[in-house]
Amino acid sequence: MYLQHFGLAETPFSLTPNTEFFFGLAPHVEALQVLQTALQTGEGFIKVTGEVGTGKTLICRKLINELPKRFHCAYLPNPYLSPAELRWAVALELGLKYSADIDQMQLTGLIQQQLLALCAHGHSIVLVLDEAQALPDESLEALRLFTNLETESRKLLQVVLFAQPELDQRLTQHNFRQLRQRITFSYSLRPLTVDEAGAYVQHRLSVAGREGKPLFSLSDTRLLAKASKGIPRLINILAHKALLLSFGEGADRVEYRHVKAAIIDTDDTRLVFRTRWFWFMGFGVISVIAGAAIHLMIGGLA
């Protein structure tokens, strides 16, 4: 809607993880370095946890895209699976074909044979699970048993878990002590600092094609950082709404009041403003978006 108005080639604050927008901020770079170092060791589980919206899926995709050719990656984006479903999902990712005539014991044997064959051809096999906190308890145990598959010198399978902090809480339970001891490397993503959030906003605008004067002032990005608590996803939501408000008014940049209105209109933000100030902004973000859409429709019919 506002791309041409602000000189943008694509939406800068989409919620879809896009590695083209990856920015080398400290927490994300450190997470990738931990993952890359851990994968070189060839053993055990690797775990990256972080609150909702901190960029786990983006790091996951970045890791997969940059794996050396010797790695064979099996990727499970939705691990809410029973043990049997998990085994079959891994088998399919490894190139095996589904058959209803194969029982679970036979399937485990076939998976081991496939892992040995890939290993014999010089591959290191890594299983990557996003949203791993969704794994049922029985499936977590099945996952641990996968790492028992090994030769005399190395594990046949490494497992990388991307998860919300709820997984850490579950792993403190006594029945998960064996899995907990298999986790050789772990990293916890932190929120962005105020300065990192400002650099993040300007970077995404630059990648999206913005040239010339910044659309957000330093005070605007500081407000975004504080309201979002440094969570990249919330920064994206707030920045997108602020751009919509600015566009709806026909302004050539975002003003402080646009950011404030976006904050008021968004759940999970930390700052609170007076309700009457929100009405002064013109009945909120939704009203501005609707008005801008009607304006575009009328222009298209003219």
Side-chain angles (χ1 to χ4, degrees), residues 31 35 49 55 63 75 108 112 119 150 157 160 173 176 198 206 219 226 233 245 248 251 259:
L35 289 165
T49 55
L63 173 70
Y75 174 54
T108 300
Q112 184 171 16
C119 184
E150 57 191 3
L157 182 69
V160 180
Q173 298 174 34
F176 287 128
S206 177
S219 60
K226 291 177 181 178
R233 183 181 296 164
L245 281 164
V259 178

Side-chain angles (χ1 to χ4, degrees), residues 266-295:
T266 304
D267 293 334
D268 289 336
T269 54
R270 188 168 61 185
L271 303 184
V272 178
F273 303 99
R274 292 180 181 177
T275 303
R276 65 180 182 179
W277 188 91
F278 173 69
W279 289 104
F280 175 76
M281 278 299 299
F283 307 106
V285 175
I286 299 301
S287 298
V288 174
I289 295 172
I294 293 171
H295 176 74

Side-chain angles (χ1 to χ4, degrees), residues 198-215:
Y200 172 83
V201 169
Q202 303 304 342
H203 170 78
R204 293 189 72 97
L205 286 166
S206 177
V207 172
R210 173 67 182 182
E211 297 178 351
K213 294 177 62 176
L215 287 176

Side-chain angles (χ1 to χ4, degrees), residues 234-245:
L234 281 176
I235 293 173
N236 285 8
I237 291 171
L238 293 174
H240 175 63
K241 288 183 177 179
L243 286 170
L244 283 171
L245 281 164

